[in-house]
């Protein structure tokens, strides 16, 4: 209906009121939005990476680490370890 504003889907955002779904932008790499209708995306904290659909942060598994806004976790270098969550 023309009198209802629709929300951008989770994993996307619009910083301004849009005129169509194409104005909902995908969150940048390493960022997510959990709720539909987001005006901004949030960075995943260190020790987590963003899900493929960019709707949540997932904890790195044991032996892997990540920095803030990482799209993936990386293995610890030789001689070091990480316990994970």
């Amino acid at each position: 209906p023309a009198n209802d504003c629709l929300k951008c889907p989770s994993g996307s955002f619009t910083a301004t009121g849009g005129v169509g779904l194409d104005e909902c932008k995908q969150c940048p790499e390493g960022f997510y939005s959990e709720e539909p209708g987001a005006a901004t995306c949030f960075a995943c904290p260190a020790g987590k990476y963003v899900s493929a659909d960019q709707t949540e942060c997932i904890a790195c598994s044991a032996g892997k680490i990540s920095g803030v806004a990482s799209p993936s976790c990386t293995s610890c270098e030789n001689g070091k370890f990480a316990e994970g969550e």
Side-chain angles (χ1 to χ4, degrees):
N3 59 349
D4 287 336
C5 292
L6 304 175
K7 295 179 179 182
C8 289
S10 299
S12 66
F13 75 104
T14 181
T16 61
V19 295
L21 183 61
D22 58 334
E23 293 198 30
C24 296
K25 305 298 180 201
Q26 193 69 29
C27 291
E29 187 174 90
F31 289 72
Y32 73 100
S33 67
E34 291 179 314
E35 302 294 326
T40 187
C41 296
F42 300 96
C44 287
K48 295 188 176 190
Y49 67 99
V50 70
S51 62
D53 62 3
Q54 291 180 280
T55 60
E56 64 180 330
C57 296
I58 302 167
C60 294
S61 59
K64 296 193 179 271
I65 58 170
S66 73
V68 174
S70 291
S72 62
C73 298
T74 57
S75 296
C76 292
E77 59 190 70
N78 291 343
K80 296 184 178 183
F81 71 95
E83 294 177 338
E85 287 189 12

